[in-house]
Amino acid sequence: MELLPTIWFVAIAVLWTGYLFLEGFDLGVGMLMKLFARNNTDRRVLLNTIGPVWDGNEVWLLTAAGATFAAFPLWYASLFSALYLPLLAVLAALIFRAVAFEYRGKVDSERWRNRWDWAIAIGSFGAAFGIGAALALTTTGLPLNANGDRSGGPMSWFSGYALLGGFGVVAFALVHALAFLALKTDGDVRHRARSWFVRLVPVAVLPMFGWMVAVQFLSGKPWTWALVAAAVVAVVLAWTLARAGSEGRAFGALGAFIVCATASIFGAAFPVVIPSTIDPAFNLTVSNASSSDYTLGLMSIVAAVGLPLVIAYQSWTYWVFRRRVSAAHIPEAHGFLPAIAAKVLISKDSQVSKDSPVSKGSPEKTASNPSGD
């Protein structure tokens, strides 16, 4: 097995792990906008927990896709063409969600906010489900022919594995968000988040475990089975710590769960990057799907410089915004005058002042009406 393709397979697995860990909780917070929050203040608390970091978390998605494109062009081409429709839906969901974050607070109207809250929740669900389905299919198989092209119609990718991976990531994102809210908020939201987490986490991780075990039965190795066992231990530990009120450690333990889960899944799939459900001879592997050694070597130099900078910047961001958020930190909602309208009004007032006798220094007007009314 060639060294550089193997290194970049591991790097892409790490990037997807980072995405699921970081974006997982903010996608979950988006879904909880309609499932968990009781009122507008709760929703603003939720938004403020992820406001400084959500767009930075999406960098991991872009980097994972970009690294796949550069390091394994055949993997990228087969995956993105075979899953054209679901990945297009994921893109639309991410755009819709990002727009909703920006537009939600632009009008002081309950109806306006409710519509954008639904946009955030649906967009977050769509993105989590689509990414989970895509990752599940790249580790369990797609109907690829000898050229790496999809066989069948536009929905030939749809299978039970797609549903398992989609719901696995959605359910994980929800409980990961609850662990994050218990760590990042205070007051009623914090206590309810911890209570929900303790009740839901034993059930919510089941789809992810189903995906892990399915991949192990397809192509598992002894050390990847050991990672499945480690994932079980991590979930039990997260549940125990949450019950004891140790929110930070519970969040970390759940993070260890997703690391063990993705390591077991990608490790079991290696060296195949996309299995073909038509014929194993058509499988795409790290050897036949990779770029040249020159390209991979150049990418390694760029990554060695750029990746530490990205990690350092994101770590600094989380450190700066590490304080808990509570309802006491949320000001009352209020309307505001758009900048253009305010400029027009100021211009009109200025013109009225110029045309008035007072502004021209009229002694009669000044003497009879000092206020200028």
Side-chain angles (χ1 to χ4, degrees):
M1 193 64 60
E2 297 181 14
L3 178 61
L4 284 176
T6 301
I7 290 174
W8 273 98
F9 177 85
V10 173
I12 290 170
V14 169
L15 289 171
W16 280 117
T17 302
Y19 176 74
L20 292 177
F21 181 90
L22 295 173
E23 185 81 340
F25 66 75
D26 77 49
L27 289 174
V29 169
M31 288 183 274
L32 291 174
M33 290 282 287
K34 300 304 292 186
L35 296 174
F36 175 80
R38 292 174 173 173
N39 49 51
N40 184 47
T41 300
D42 283 358
R43 295 184 183 97
R44 291 175 69 189
V45 169
L46 265 61
L47 286 176
N48 275 269
T49 62
I50 62 172
V53 299
W54 70 267
D55 47 354
N57 293 340
E58 290 188 354
V59 169
W60 290 80
L61 172 63
L62 300 176
T63 307
T68 305
F69 171 76
F72 299 97
L74 293 182
W75 181 6
Y76 180 92
S78 297
L79 181 66
F80 278 68
S81 60
L83 301 180
Y84 185 84
L85 290 180
L87 291 178
L88 185 63
V90 168
L91 180 61
L94 289 172
I95 294 172
F96 204 36
R97 177 174 177 265
V99 170
F101 281 139
E102 300 298 329
Y103 275 57
R104 183 187 185 276
K106 299 303 182 184
V107 176
D108 185 17
S109 163
E110 192 62 33
R111 178 178 294 182
W112 171 272
R113 286 191 292 265
N114 185 58
R115 290 172 178 173
W116 291 115
D117 288 341
W118 276 112
I120 293 171
I122 294 171
S124 299
F125 173 84
F129 184 89
I131 293 296
L135 290 177
L137 291 172
T138 199
T139 53
T140 57
L142 285 167
L144 302 180
N145 60 24
N147 295 323
D149 299 326
R150 182 194 67 215
S151 296
M155 295 299 292
S156 60
W157 56 270
F158 187 79
S159 68
Y161 290 128
L163 292 175
L164 191 62
F167 284 116
V169 172
V170 167
F172 167 76
L174 285 171
V175 292
H176 198 36
L178 290 170
F180 177 74
L181 290 175
L183 173 65
K184 194 67 174 65
T185 63
D186 210 349
D188 179 62
V189 171
R190 173 187 180 183
H191 300 306
R192 286 194 295 118
R194 187 174 63 198
S195 175
W196 278 42
F197 177 83
V198 171
R199 287 180 297 185
L200 294 179
V201 72
V203 177
V205 298
L206 292 179
M208 184 69 75
F209 273 118
W211 176 15
M212 279 192 288
V213 172
V215 176
Q216 303 310 312
F217 278 116
L218 289 173
S219 54
K221 307 167 180 67
W223 66 272
T224 58
W225 277 105
L227 287 172
V228 173
V232 174
V233 173
V235 167
V236 173
L237 185 60
W239 181 77
T240 304
L241 290 169
R243 289 193 65 189
S246 183
E247 291 114 342
R249 293 179 180 178
F251 180 77
L254 195 63
F257 161 76
I258 196 62
V259 170
C260 292
T262 53
S264 70
I265 290 169
F266 280 98
F270 181 82
V272 177
V273 294
I274 303 182
S276 171
T277 56
I278 297 175
D279 189 336
F282 302 155
N283 289 351
L284 293 179
T285 68
V286 294
S287 296
N288 64 22
S290 67
S291 296
S292 67
D293 284 347
Y294 175 81
T295 300
L296 296 178
L298 185 61
M299 289 175 58
S300 299
I301 296 172
V302 174
V305 175
L307 189 59
L309 295 176
V310 172
I311 294 175
Y313 173 76
Q314 272 205 294
S315 300
W316 177 79
T317 302
Y318 278 96
W319 175 256
V320 170
F321 295 100
R322 67 189 182 278
R323 302 296 184 187
R324 289 183 182 269
V325 181
S326 70
H329 299 130
I330 305 299
E332 291 294 329
H334 60 279
F336 67 94
L337 192 63
I340 295 178
K343 186 176 181 180
V344 170
L345 288 177
I346 292 172
S347 177
K348 287 182 178 180
D349 289 344
S350 177
Q351 186 63 38
V352 170
S353 298
K354 289 179 180 179
D355 293 340
S356 68
V358 172
S359 66
K360 296 177 182 179
S362 168
E364 293 82 0
K365 184 66 176 178
T366 303
S368 62
N369 188 4
S371 68
D373 295 331

